[in-house]
Amino acid sequence: MKKVCILGCGPSIEELSNYDTLGIDEFILVNDHTPTIRNPILHNILKNKKNYIMCNIQQQGFNPSVLEKINIEACLTNRLYPNWDLWQEHKDKQKK
């Protein structure tokens, strides 16, 4: 079975360096991962994997500094209309 890891840009991204990623085949990077690529440990994890960038309609994640430094299979734009009530419900439960 193929394993895929979805990476957001929040503070939990730093936990990736503590996780065994050898069995992960592909990564989906959500939004702009320029800071991720600047981190040598995280860059090393992603550089030889199949990566996809998914970002919102503003396409901030399609940053040349990321596209040039890791293997990007495709860029995806999220054009779905969000369920704002459901989003707010989960956002209210988050602890920062």
Side-chain angles (χ1 to χ4, degrees):
M1 176 188 293
K2 183 189 302 187
K3 290 186 178 181
V4 176
C5 180
I6 301 172
L7 296 175
C9 295
S12 62
I13 187 96
E14 295 299 325
E15 287 301 313
L16 182 62
S17 61
N18 299 323
Y19 186 77
D20 180 11
T21 58
L22 290 176
I24 297 175
D25 301 308
E26 300 175 337
F27 286 85
I28 298 174
L29 310 174
V30 181
N31 291 327
D32 187 10
H33 276 268
T34 303
T36 305
I37 299 306
R38 286 187 197 131
N39 180 319
I41 295 169
L42 299 177
H43 176 258
N44 193 44
I45 290 171
L46 297 171
K47 71 179 180 183
N48 295 318
K49 301 286 186 175
K50 289 183 179 179
N51 298 289
Y52 301 85
I53 296 177
M54 184 171 124
C55 65
N56 55 24
I57 201 163
Q58 293 151 343
Q59 301 181 347
Q60 289 178 325
F62 303 154
N63 190 316
S65 66
V66 175
L67 298 171
E68 295 167 358
K69 292 190 172 137
I70 60 174
N71 178 34
I72 302 296
E73 295 288 315
C75 294
L76 315 163
T77 302
N78 175 6
R79 295 183 184 260
L80 301 174
Y81 186 77
N83 179 334
W84 289 113
D85 293 332
L86 182 61
W87 176 86
Q88 189 64 57
E89 177 185 333
H90 290 283
K91 193 70 175 171
D92 291 342
K93 292 178 183 176
Q94 286 183 344
K95 295 180 182 178
K96 298 193 182 218

